[in-house]
């Protein structure tokens, strides 16, 4: 099978690098264009990331030799050579919206890691295992904008991917109140332990904009399509505290949750273990099996031990206990730059291909 040519906007950054690592030897996709700011443009990719390649594997040879293009100046050239682009840009939101719109307008499907379009009414925000049906918004979006082959799909913030999948598995019990504390890795800020001295021996109780995202984005994911846009779900109500801790990768969360119909411990475990996954059977190369991993041990999941479950695409959960204030509490974990960013975006692209949205 001939592979689908893809581009990466923001290829030199933390998420861009992870995309390059995960797409090496991908059975369906091949990286043909890497693009970034004028600071990197014109250099070979290898040269552009000299001293800041943060992955634990070598730069794939073919990508290392690609010339980095300018996301804006070289737009036409990039669009003409790819059938889909991932966007991992980190710049002003209005500018990102403009750039992503321009690529879609030139016929390129865009799968974005950025928050710029998450609240655009006709742009679906997808976790493939939860709301693949929201892709039905794509033809509506194309009609609204007069786009033919191009469109934009976004993935949600990394912080929510550790707990929203667990709550999804428990939907039949009517979760209506959630309190979540996140313990987030510094790669979520595009940094490594070496480039973030302020986090050593420290905990930083503030991540700009993160609490709003972690409280609101799940409601769009659980929303329904109505009148050509997503109507947000009304519950559960979520209250969050987002905290940066000194780990390289992996967002751990502690969750307290109330239900309309309180389940038993066995019912919770059964629902997690028997999660009905809507993308099962599609043969998506990056889909983990199982999606949700339940731990009996008191001290799991742990960030360093468990973040790579399912090659970084599974969500782990444990420490399930009754809660005297709400009903139940648990701890969950996912890899923020794999499941929460690059891997999640690749899984969306695979879903788009399986559903016939990419030519
Ligand atoms: N890190 C995570 O865990 C995570 C998780 C979910 C979502 N996200 C989101 O993903 C996006 C990327 O995050 P990141 O951590 O990878 O950021 P990052 O490491 O700061 O990388 C940013 C990328 O954007 C490019 N860029 C910056 N200014 C530009 C400009 N004026 N024109 C063109 N390109 C420009 C940079 O190119 P140069 O190298 O040339 O400057 C670089 O390739 C962000 O929106 C972030 O919120 C991140």
């Amino acid at each position: 099978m001939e592979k689908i040519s893809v581009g990466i906007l923001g290829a030199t950054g933390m998420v861009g690098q992870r995309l390059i690592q995960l797409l090496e030897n991908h059975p369906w996709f091949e990286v043909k264009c890497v693009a970034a700011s004028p600071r990197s443009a014109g250099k070979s990719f290898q040269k552009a990331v000299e001293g800041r390649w943060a992955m634990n594997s070598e730069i794939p040879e073919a990508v290392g030799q690609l010339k980095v293009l300018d996301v804006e100046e070289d737009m036409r050239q990039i669009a003409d050579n790819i059938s889909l682009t991932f966007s991992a840009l980190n710049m002003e939101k209005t500018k990102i919206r403009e750039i992503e719109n321009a690529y879609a307008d030139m016929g390129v499907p865009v799968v974005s890691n950025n928050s710029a379009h998450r609240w655009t009414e006709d742009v679906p925000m997808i976790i493939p295992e939860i709301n693949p049906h929201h892709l039905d918004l794509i033809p509506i979006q194309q009609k609204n904008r007069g786009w033919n082959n191009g469109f934009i799909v976004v993935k949600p913030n990394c912080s929510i991917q550790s707990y929203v999948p667990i709550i999804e598995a428990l939907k039949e019990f009517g979760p209506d109140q959630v309190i979540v504390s996140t313990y987030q890795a510094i790669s979520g800020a595009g940094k490594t332990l070496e480039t973030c001295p302020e986090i050593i021996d420290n905990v930083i109780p503030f991540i700009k904009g993160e609490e709003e995202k972690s409280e609101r984005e799940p409601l769009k994911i659980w929303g329904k399509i109505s009148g050509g846009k997503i109507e947000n779900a009304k519950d559960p109500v979520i209250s969050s505290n987002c905290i940066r801790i000194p780990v390289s990768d992996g967002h751990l969360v502690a969750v307290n949750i109330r239900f309309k119909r309180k389940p038993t411990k066995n019912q919770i475990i059964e629902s997690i273990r028997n999660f009905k996954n809507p993308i099962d059977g599609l043969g998506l190369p990056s889909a983990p099996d199982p999606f949700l991993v339940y731990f009996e041990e008191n001290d799991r999941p742990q960030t360093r031990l468990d973040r790579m479950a399912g090659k970084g695409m599974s969500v782990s959960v444990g420490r399930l206990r009754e809660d005297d204030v709400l009903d139940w509490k648990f701890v969950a974990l996912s890899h923020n730059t794999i499941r929460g960013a690059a891997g999640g975006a690749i899984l969306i692209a695979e879903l788009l291909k399986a559903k016939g949205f990419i030519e």
Side-chain angles (χ1 to χ4, degrees), residues 55-326:
M55 302 298 110
N56 59 0
S57 57
E58 297 293 311
I59 300 171
E61 206 182 319
V63 175
Q65 289 168 5
L66 288 176
K67 184 170 115 178
V68 178
L69 299 174
D70 186 313
V71 168
E72 291 186 86
E73 287 297 311
D74 299 320
M75 206 177 267
R76 184 77 263 171
Q77 183 189 343
I78 298 168
D80 285 347
N81 283 290
I82 53 175
S83 299
L84 174 140
T85 193
F86 295 97
S87 170
L89 293 168
N90 203 0
M91 53 201 287
E92 210 263 310
K93 304 291 170 217
T94 320
K95 196 74 201 164
I96 292 183
R97 274 194 290 274
E98 249 175 64
I99 292 171
E100 293 181 350
N101 287 348
Y103 276 92
D105 193 45
M106 284 190 286
V108 180
V110 178
V111 178
S112 181
N113 285 280
N114 195 271
S115 61
H117 263 305
R118 288 193 196 140
W119 291 100
T120 305
E121 283 186 338
D122 58 1
V123 171
M125 176 157 59
I126 302 286
I127 296 180
E129 291 89 345
I130 298 181
N131 62 338
H133 54 286
H134 282 187
L135 294 183
D136 291 350
L137 264 186
I138 291 174
I140 299 170
Q141 182 193 113
Q142 289 176 316
K143 189 158 171 262
N144 289 347
R145 320 295 183 94
W147 293 340
N148 291 323
N149 299 318
F151 57 82
I152 299 169
V153 175
V154 296
K155 56 157 288 305
N157 188 261
C158 46
S159 65
I160 76 167
Q161 321 230 3
S162 302
Y163 57 94
V164 166
I166 309 301
I167 297 174
E168 171 70 11
L170 306 175
K171 272 288 191 167
E172 64 181 298
F173 306 111
D176 66 352
Q177 287 187 4
V178 175
I179 297 174
V180 56
S181 299
T182 70
Y183 302 86
Q184 300 190 207
I186 53 170
S187 57
K191 294 187 179 167
T192 62
L193 288 168
E194 290 71 33
T195 60
C196 190
E198 64 273 27
I199 200 73
I200 304 302
D201 192 25
N202 202 11
V203 165
I204 299 177
F206 177 65
I207 306 174
K208 191 165 183 277
E210 203 80 344
E211 284 157 1
E212 294 78 359
K213 290 175 190 167
S214 58
E215 290 171 357
R216 289 180 65 215
E217 291 183 11
L219 300 177
K220 180 164 178 177
I221 290 184
W222 283 316
K224 60 172 198 284
I225 298 178
S226 168
K229 57 183 183 180
I230 303 287
E231 191 179 292
N232 289 349
K234 303 242 177 332
D235 57 16
V237 177
I238 302 172
S239 169
S240 81
N241 288 291
C242 293
I243 294 173
R244 190 75 76 195
I245 59 162
V247 300
S248 56
D249 292 310
H251 288 351
L252 190 100
V253 294
V255 175
N256 303 61
I257 183 164
R258 194 183 81 167
F259 296 93
K260 288 180 190 137
R261 295 170 294 284
K262 184 179 175 180
T264 64
K265 186 169 185 174
N266 277 344
Q267 283 176 313
I268 293 180
I269 296 170
E270 282 300 295
S271 298
I272 290 170
R273 288 200 167 132
N274 299 326
F275 177 70
K276 288 187 194 56
N277 191 337
I279 60 169
D280 269 355
L282 292 180
L284 307 187
S286 303
D289 183 19
F291 173 40
L292 307 178
V293 180
Y294 179 75
F295 282 98
E296 303 275 359
E297 296 88 331
N298 281 335
D299 59 353
R300 305 283 287 275
Q302 286 180 28
T303 304
R304 202 176 59 200
L305 291 185
D306 300 312
R307 63 191 165 204
M308 286 308 291
K311 295 188 180 155
M313 289 295 284
S314 294
V315 179
S316 301
V317 54
R319 300 219 64 219
L320 177 61
R321 295 146 292 148
E322 258 189 294
D323 183 20
D324 290 340
V325 179
L326 301 183

Side-chain angles (χ1 to χ4, degrees), residues 37-45 47-48 66-70 74:
S37 78
R39 292 180 290 277
S40 307
K43 298 176 187 164
S44 69
F45 182 78
K47 198 83 195 148
L66 288 176
K67 184 170 115 178
V68 178
L69 299 174
D70 186 313
D74 299 320

